[in-house]
């Protein structure tokens, strides 16, 4: 099967395959970035861990009836996905206060949000992914009213599954970022990845089990990701 590199991202490279134009191969890399790529480091083993974690979560979401781009894990660092046109929205769901939310509203981290808060950011590196609302989404022609409603409903439905799975393994799902795309038939499906790179997970003692370990220099990122993977593998049995 021959392949062609079509996109190189911060954490993944994307290839098309000669076999089927509707499929892509995502290759998870050992790179960690923050501040829109201003800080960049190679962390050996991160790609393998994130591919395994994301494959496991997406497989469970598929089984739960969520439409996703995930087909199967191909190797330690590779997975086979449906090709989508990514909708340029970072959909952030917050169950607890943390990160930019705590900064923006000057509130402490870790407060439970009685109704989880959904936020949109415009996925645009040149503009530093600005915080936007539904009306901006429409103005920018990113999605229609119906599509916005679908993305919001689906994100809250996914939140039910994810929060439950993480709670079963003793981790609090603080917040996370999702991306959606349109498949060849124009259907909106969940795309990108779900790993500790794009979510916040706190253990029972409030320890960070996610990329904040890198962002805040709290220790070994891969040690923490390995614990998350092993806990999730326990959940599968
Ligand atoms: P924030 O608190 O920095 O806005 O991040 C909220 C969640 O979204 C957090 O789990 C990290 C994730 N996220 C990404 O995956 N990519 C990004 O570019 C940003 C800004 C956040």
């Amino acid at each position: 099967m021959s392949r062609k590199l079509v996109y190189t991202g911060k954490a993944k490279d994307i290839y098309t395959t000669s076999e089927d134009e509707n499929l892509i191969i995502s290759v998870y890399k050992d790179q960690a970035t923050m501040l829109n790529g201003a800080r960049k480091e190679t962390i050996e083993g991160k790609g393998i861990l994130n591919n395994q974690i994301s494959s496991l979560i997406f497989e469970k979401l598929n089984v739960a009836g969520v439409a996703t781009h995930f087909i199967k894990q191909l190797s330690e660092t590779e997975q086979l996905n449906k090709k989508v046109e990514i909708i340029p929205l970072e959909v952030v769901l917050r169950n607890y206060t943390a990160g930019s939310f705590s900064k923006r509203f000057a509130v402490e981290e870790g407060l439970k949000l009685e109704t989880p808060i959904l936020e949109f950011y415009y996925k645009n590196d040149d503009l530093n992914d600005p915080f936007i609302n539904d009306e901006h989404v429409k103005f920018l022609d990113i999605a229609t009213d119906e599509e916005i409603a679908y993305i919001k409903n689906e994100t809250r439905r996914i939140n039910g599954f994810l929060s439950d799975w993480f709670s079963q393994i003793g981790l609090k799902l603080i917040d996370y970022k999702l991306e959606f795309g349109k498949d060849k038939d124009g259907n909106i499906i969940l795309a990108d990845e779900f790993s500790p790179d794009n979510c916040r997970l706190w253990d029972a003692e409030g320890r960070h089990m996610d990329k904040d370990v890198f962002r805040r220099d709290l220790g070994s990122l891969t040690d923490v990701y390995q614990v998350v993977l092993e806990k999730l593998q326990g959940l599968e049995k």
Side-chain angles (χ1 to χ4, degrees):
M1 181 161 67
S2 73
R3 53 172 74 176
K4 194 173 126 211
L5 181 68
V6 285
Y7 176 78
T8 181
K10 295 184 194 104
K12 292 184 288 294
D13 286 336
I14 307 294
Y15 294 83
T16 50
T17 83
S18 56
E19 277 194 344
D20 187 334
E21 63 175 14
N22 295 313
L23 300 180
I24 54 151
I25 295 169
S26 303
V27 182
Y28 282 65
K29 303 198 283 195
D30 281 345
Q31 187 167 276
T33 62
M34 60 183 279
L35 304 173
N36 202 6
R39 183 178 158 209
K40 199 189 282 189
E41 266 176 44
T42 299
I43 300 181
E44 205 177 317
K46 182 170 95 72
I48 292 178
L49 287 163
N50 276 352
N51 184 37
Q52 290 185 88
I53 292 169
S54 193
S55 292
L56 195 154
I57 297 275
F58 268 76
E59 219 159 271
K60 287 182 75 68
L61 287 171
N62 279 346
V63 170
V66 176
T68 83
H69 74 154
F70 182 78
I71 298 173
K72 63 176 176 182
Q73 191 179 335
L74 293 174
S75 72
E76 279 191 324
T77 56
E78 300 167 315
Q79 55 177 257
L80 189 65
N81 299 136
K82 288 181 191 162
K83 187 174 171 185
V84 294
E85 193 185 319
I86 287 285
I87 296 168
L89 274 185
E90 304 211 332
V91 184
V92 168
L93 195 291
R94 300 182 188 273
N95 290 309
Y96 294 83
T97 58
S100 73
F101 185 95
S102 287
K103 272 212 184 101
R104 178 174 292 123
F105 301 112
V107 290
E108 65 181 285
E109 295 196 306
L111 303 177
K112 187 171 170 57
L113 296 160
E114 278 321 316
T115 303
I117 292 181
L118 192 151
E119 298 174 346
F120 287 136
Y121 294 82
Y122 179 28
K123 193 173 147 66
N124 185 317
D125 280 345
D126 292 340
L127 300 177
N128 261 321
D129 301 342
F131 187 39
I132 57 174
N133 66 24
D134 299 26
E135 294 177 13
H136 298 113
V137 174
K138 279 177 67 182
F139 167 75
L140 293 165
D141 244 344
I142 295 170
T144 63
D145 280 334
E146 292 72 27
E147 290 170 339
I148 294 169
Y150 178 81
I151 288 169
K152 286 181 161 180
N153 275 333
E154 202 61 355
T155 299
R156 292 191 186 276
R157 193 165 77 92
I158 291 167
N159 190 45
F161 296 124
L162 295 175
S163 297
D164 176 39
W165 296 335
F166 282 107
S167 133
Q168 284 181 46
I169 57 171
L171 295 176
K172 250 191 220 170
L173 179 58
I174 301 293
D175 59 27
Y176 55 89
K177 183 260 301 178
L178 301 179
E179 292 183 25
F180 292 84
K182 284 189 183 167
D183 69 10
K184 64 174 176 17
D185 303 316
N187 297 315
I188 296 180
I189 62 178
L190 182 66
D192 195 46
E193 68 179 270
F194 191 93
S195 75
D197 266 15
N198 44 49
C199 71
R200 287 194 173 92
L201 297 166
W202 292 6
D203 73 6
E205 282 77 45
R207 281 187 296 246
H208 298 275
M209 306 296 287
D210 54 60
K211 195 173 159 188
D212 276 348
V213 169
F214 168 74
R215 295 186 192 100
R216 303 179 189 190
D217 278 323
L218 300 173
S220 161
L221 189 78
T222 45
D223 283 0
V224 161
Y225 284 25
Q226 181 70 39
V227 172
V228 172
L229 174 62
E230 282 168 17
K231 282 177 182 281
L232 282 168
Q233 284 168 336
L235 177 65
E236 265 199 312
K237 282 169 207 147

